[in-house]
Amino acid sequence: LNWGKDITKEEKEILVDLNLRAGLKAKQSSAFSLAFEYFVTGIKFLDNDHWQNQYSLSIELYTNAAEASHLYADFGTIEQYVDLVLANARNIQDKIKAYEIRILGYISQNKLREGLDTGLVVLSQLGIKFPKNPVLLQAVLALIKTKITIGKTKIEDLKDLPKMTLEKDHNAIRILSEIAPPAYWIQPNKMLMLIFKMVRLSYKKGFAIQSCFAYACYGMILCELGEINNGYRFGNMALKLLNDPA
């Protein structure tokens, strides 16, 4: 079908949909190179003004093409499709996945500074900002703020908090979890602040799967500070949540 000539507009729309679905199925089966070919073929059948008239399809195809490129380590191609999504997306929510692909691409290439900086740019667009070069005192103040936020809530009761519902909060905690590891190597104080923010976000906005990572890291930090019992309890709770997130 993809090699057909002189096809109508309606037939092109069908081919776009078929290639998108085939690409998603191939990606799910870990056939990333094949998935990329399907997504690119789908893009070729879009209208010339597809960013205006086929906006949702364009976002999905270009974003998936970028992700497939990342998954089979074609890092040069990632940027081509990410740039197009970021240039044409109408809101931050439609840009998030492309930004995440860029972040993970940088980290995969050991470009930790670029990955961290990209994540911080995204977080600022979501209303979450951090000092550029935080000192230890700022991290300590963030820890105190986190302890005050949790208050007298029993650690084990944190697992009973409602689930996170807002897409904006899900996006934020995902980005936070993705840039915490590179921050560990580049700016340890900022890494601490990222973890504390994830814990507060989980407490205020509800549980997300990334909360397990946040609670486990928070537990390790508490152990380093000599709060062995509380640190163990946070780690144990994270394990229970990970094994039974429902």
Side-chain angles (χ1 to χ4, degrees):
L1 286 172
N2 285 334
W3 288 98
K5 296 181 179 179
D6 300 323
I7 57 178
T8 66
K9 178 178 174 65
E10 290 73 19
E11 289 171 332
K12 284 185 178 181
E13 291 175 352
I14 293 172
L15 286 172
V16 170
D17 181 65
L18 288 174
N19 279 283
L20 174 58
R21 285 192 283 171
L24 292 172
K25 189 175 182 68
K27 188 176 72 170
Q28 188 177 20
S29 302
S30 299
F32 303 127
S33 178
L34 181 60
F36 175 75
E37 291 179 18
Y38 280 126
F39 294 136
V40 170
T41 302
I43 289 170
K44 290 178 181 177
F45 285 116
L46 290 170
D47 295 340
N48 291 332
D49 55 356
H50 56 272
W51 285 111
Q52 287 72 44
N53 297 330
Q54 295 171 294
Y55 176 76
S56 297
L57 270 175
S58 299
I59 288 290
E60 193 166 8
L61 280 166
Y62 279 86
T63 301
N64 274 289
E67 184 177 29
S69 299
H70 168 248
L71 291 171
Y72 78 93
D74 184 358
F75 299 117
T77 305
I78 293 174
E79 290 302 310
Q80 173 186 344
Y81 290 96
V82 167
D83 284 343
L84 286 166
V85 173
L86 297 182
N88 292 282
R90 298 170 184 171
N91 55 67
I92 182 60
Q93 303 305 329
D94 289 341
K95 295 179 181 181
I96 286 290
K97 185 64 178 177
Y99 272 126
E100 287 186 85
I101 294 164
R102 172 170 283 174
I103 292 167
L104 296 175
Y106 280 142
I107 294 172
S108 297
Q109 298 173 80
N110 203 33
K111 296 180 179 180
L112 304 184
R113 168 63 66 181
E114 290 89 339
L116 175 59
D117 288 346
T118 301
L120 293 171
V121 168
V122 182
L123 289 171
S124 69
Q125 293 182 54
L126 293 171
I128 299 175
K129 297 184 179 181
F130 294 92
K132 184 175 182 180
N133 296 298
V135 297
L136 182 58
L137 177 59
Q138 290 171 301
V140 171
L141 291 175
L143 171 62
I144 294 171
K145 183 178 180 180
T146 304
K147 285 178 171 287
I148 292 173
T149 298
I150 296 173
K152 295 183 179 180
T153 305
K154 187 177 178 182
I155 293 172
E156 289 72 18
D157 290 342
L158 293 175
K159 65 180 177 58
D160 298 321
L161 291 174
K163 288 188 177 181
M164 191 175 288
T165 57
L166 296 180
E167 182 182 6
K168 177 183 177 182
D169 297 326
H170 275 287
N171 291 336
I173 200 168
R174 277 203 321 276
I175 298 294
L176 286 162
S177 68
E178 288 162 359
I179 64 173
Y184 173 84
W185 296 104
I186 298 172
Q187 290 185 298
N189 291 330
K190 185 167 286 180
M191 183 275 293
L192 295 173
M193 298 181 74
L194 294 171
I195 298 300
F196 299 151
K197 179 62 179 179
M198 290 177 69
V199 172
R200 295 198 304 274
L201 193 62
S202 298
Y203 186 84
K204 293 179 178 179
K205 301 296 185 178
F207 169 79
I209 194 63
Q210 292 82 8
S211 303
C212 301
F213 170 71
Y215 290 143
C217 290
Y218 188 64
M220 287 192 293
I221 293 167
L222 292 180
C223 288
E224 285 290 326
L225 295 174
E227 297 184 36
I228 306 298
N229 183 54
N230 285 342
Y232 170 80
R233 290 165 66 192
F234 266 102
N236 194 45
M237 180 188 62
L239 280 175
K240 288 181 177 178
L241 282 169
L242 192 60
N243 292 326
D244 186 20

